[in-house]
Amino acid sequence: MHRLPALFLLCFILIFGPDTYAQVTDLPRGFAPKEKSFIRRYLHSRTKNTGGISTPPEFPVRTMAEWEEIEYLVISWVQYLPTLREVVRYGREECKVIILCQDTTGIRAYLEAGDVSTEGVILLKSRVNSVWIRDYGASSVYAQGVDSLWLMDWIYNRPRPDDDHIPSFLSRYLNKPLFSTTRPPFDLVNIGGNFMTDGMGTGFSSRLVLEENSVEGKFNLSSKTEAEVNEVMRRFMGINRYIKMDVLPYDGIHHIDMHMKLLNEETLLVGQYPPGVADGPKIEENLRDLISGHSSGFGFPYELVRIPMPPHQGEYPDSWWASYRTYTNAVFINKTVLVPVYGESLDTTALRIYRQILPGYRIVGINCDQIIRSGGALHCITRGIGVRDPLLIQHRQLRDRYATREPYQVNAVIRHRSGIRSAQVFFTSDTLSGFQPVEMRETIPEENIWTAFIPAYPPGTTLYYYIQAESVSGKQVSRPLPAPAGWWKFLIRQRPDPVLDPSVR
């Protein structure tokens, strides 16, 4: 968030001591001991901040999903340097990597000593307090859904002024406007690790977002009802449906990225404990409420993929000393997904699950045994910034079906600010023999819906397919992004009897 006025910073240092404001290297993702005593006073000062645009945009907006294209990956070079170096190693192969740092020469030497090229790496001198840029960094939002990119800044729920100024710093560097929910009546406390979106106007958080913005909350800012919180998110970020789940008893920071992750518009990856262990019962209760009360943006039930929550030396977080280990705290970087691993036997299982559900993506495990002890992993220490020229493809995947003589209809929302010149569905029954295209036609122009038909195939056939589109301006994008190495698939089944089985859609 934005750099505080110099007078306030001087007062802050005089009141709380120079050690509090100094750049430190060991701040946890949660509160450091000294921070709790002055968090209210600090956050109240934030509501007087005039940086950024503090009134809602007067046009429709859409917050991008994490699996969409990004142009930059941003990290803060503070601590856990071996982990950050591995993030740079793989991130720079997918996009430009911005490193916020003080010692550019030392970092360049450290990367090169680890055989990491600095090509495509941008070293920006900037003070930061902590490594947890997911929580204090800016979200990427598009005007009119796919038009100009701008950045979105909430009030950060930690008293860390150097972290706070990063969104405005990046806004200036990238020459992108910054909107901020820092002034009444639109002041809102929120953090990136406790928010995810499907890119279709649905947002997810734990109920921490309500606790921290209510009159009973620990911050006691201008209190807001749930409806008022929802309205701020709608007007600034285009979140028309904001789903909130109960906080978990053993996750001390209550950020949903510690136990779940959206993999696409309709698939939730959810951490799973052994029965009755730690946060397992509450996660299952939250899931039951989610599935029974909400459908995906396409109007159908969410698909659930379970992934184990790994123990720490055989123990789980309900043991007082065990770290809160998780495999869901992963990060999309275009065609690569970085996954935290811990040297546990379950690491292999977790990576296999990611590869099965995200075929074609490069799935890379990075050891997070040290960083997880401070309450976070790879998602927590990274922030993507969307491309300036997005070509959006949103599609509900085809499900297994019984054999008929009818072709298989493929619908997708396809949008670009210059318009769409052409779109195709590429399909095959054998990925080794290549894909063949079928043209898509714009069938519902007012909703940007494009349609194609895959020919009928006999029972027992598995069909693989992906979508590719080109804008009028010449930009091309495939979905899934790694296509043709990545694809969706569905099975043509033999009908067992004349009655349609409702379990197969």
Side-chain angles (χ1 to χ4, degrees), residues 67-251:
W67 53 83
E68 295 179 36
E69 278 190 291
I70 63 170
E71 184 173 352
Y72 299 95
L73 184 74
V74 189
I75 62 175
S76 294
W77 198 268
V78 181
Q79 58 190 130
Y80 308 112
L81 304 189
T83 304
L84 290 175
R85 182 163 62 185
E86 294 308 298
V87 171
V88 176
R89 183 188 308 278
Y90 298 102
R92 59 164 294 278
E93 296 179 0
E94 293 286 355
C95 63
K96 301 168 190 171
V97 176
I98 294 176
I99 301 178
L100 304 171
C101 59
Q102 287 289 297
D103 178 14
T104 58
T105 302
I107 293 171
R108 198 174 296 276
Y110 181 79
L111 291 174
E112 292 173 350
D115 197 28
V116 178
S117 170
T118 56
E119 184 178 355
V121 176
I122 303 168
L123 301 174
L124 292 183
K125 280 199 169 186
S126 176
R127 291 177 62 95
V128 288
N129 298 120
S130 76
V131 73
W132 313 111
I133 193 169
R134 173 65 52 178
D135 292 336
Y136 59 79
S139 299
S140 295
V141 180
Y142 291 107
Q144 307 294 340
V146 292
D147 205 336
S148 55
L149 170 72
W150 49 273
L151 303 180
M152 176 65 217
D153 181 25
W154 299 308
I155 296 177
Y156 179 35
N157 68 347
R158 299 288 183 264
R160 300 170 184 175
D162 284 334
D163 290 350
D164 257 348
H165 93 283
I166 291 304
S168 59
F169 175 79
L170 289 174
S171 170
R172 293 190 299 272
Y173 174 76
L174 299 172
N175 194 27
K176 291 297 175 184
L178 179 73
F179 283 78
S180 60
T181 60
T182 53
R183 301 197 68 182
F186 302 113
D187 50 319
L188 184 75
V189 179
N190 210 346
I191 55 272
N194 192 38
F195 175 75
M196 60 185 181
T197 179
D198 61 358
M200 299 177 67
T202 297
F204 297 81
S205 289
S206 79
R207 296 184 70 84
L208 176 70
V209 68
L210 300 182
E211 295 175 7
E212 293 189 334
N213 289 281
S214 70
V215 67
E216 297 86 7
K218 55 178 172 272
F219 300 147
N220 195 26
L221 298 174
S222 59
S223 62
K224 287 180 171 54
T225 64
E226 182 171 3
E228 290 170 332
V229 168
N230 293 347
E231 182 65 6
V232 174
M233 294 292 286
R234 183 189 69 81
R235 296 185 66 178
F236 280 85
M237 303 186 72
I239 299 301
N240 302 311
R241 185 176 60 149
Y242 198 9
I243 299 170
K244 307 169 198 73
M245 292 161 284
D246 289 346
V247 300
L248 306 182
Y250 295 100
D251 171 14

Side-chain angles (χ1 to χ4, degrees), residues 4-67:
L4 299 173
L7 180 60
F8 171 75
L9 286 181
L10 177 60
C11 295
F12 185 88
I13 296 169
L14 291 175
I15 294 172
F16 300 113
D19 292 339
T20 303
Y21 178 65
Q23 185 175 20
V24 296
T25 60
D26 59 353
L27 285 174
R29 198 180 185 195
F31 283 103
K34 290 183 179 180
E35 293 179 319
K36 292 183 179 180
S37 62
F38 55 82
I39 180 63
R40 281 194 181 188
R41 191 180 310 180
Y42 177 84
L43 292 184
H44 274 280
S45 74
R46 295 288 291 112
T47 63
K48 299 179 177 63
N49 190 353
T50 58
I53 304 169
S54 56
T55 55
E58 297 181 353
F59 42 81
V61 296
R62 185 186 68 88
T63 303
M64 69 169 284
E66 289 185 33
W67 53 83

Side-chain angles (χ1 to χ4, degrees), residues 469-483:
E470 181 179 0
S471 71
V472 171
S473 64
K475 175 164 186 172
Q476 288 188 347
V477 164
S478 296
R479 182 84 193 279
L481 276 180

Side-chain angles (χ1 to χ4, degrees), residues 305-446:
V305 177
R306 309 310 296 267
I307 194 166
M309 297 290 279
H312 181 187
Q313 297 180 13
E315 298 292 333
Y316 290 95
D318 47 358
S319 178
W320 66 270
W321 59 269
S323 299
Y324 203 100
R325 290 180 167 186
T326 171
Y327 295 119
T328 64
N329 202 267
V331 58
F332 280 94
I333 312 174
N334 291 333
K335 300 175 186 179
T336 293
V337 180
L338 304 183
V339 180
V341 293
Y342 307 95
E344 294 279 349
S345 59
L346 286 175
D347 291 350
T348 302
T349 300
L351 295 174
R352 174 179 53 78
I353 290 171
Y354 272 97
R355 291 181 179 122
Q356 286 177 342
I357 200 66
L358 296 171
Y361 282 86
R362 179 174 60 166
I363 306 298
V364 179
I366 294 179
N367 192 291
C368 291
D369 180 60
Q370 292 299 316
I371 189 173
I372 199 66
R373 302 178 192 192
S374 291
L378 301 176
H379 190 252
C380 309
I381 61 174
T382 55
R383 258 289 187 177
I385 296 177
V387 295
R388 299 166 189 258
D389 187 34
L391 196 164
L392 179 67
I393 302 175
Q394 296 172 324
H395 166 65
R396 180 174 186 258
Q397 302 170 38
L398 299 186
R399 269 47 178 187
D400 294 355
R401 61 201 53 227
Y402 290 127
T404 71
R405 295 181 180 179
E406 300 298 321
Y408 316 120
Q409 183 171 330
V410 180
N411 293 325
V413 171
I414 306 179
R415 302 177 62 190
H416 187 269
R417 59 186 172 186
S418 72
I420 301 300
R421 172 179 290 144
S422 64
Q424 297 85 31
V425 173
F426 288 81
F427 70 95
T428 186
S429 60
D430 179 5
T431 56
L432 296 180
S433 64
F435 291 77
Q436 53 184 309
V438 58
E439 290 295 319
M440 302 188 80
R441 305 297 181 193
E442 190 172 24
T443 51
I444 309 178
E446 61 272 21

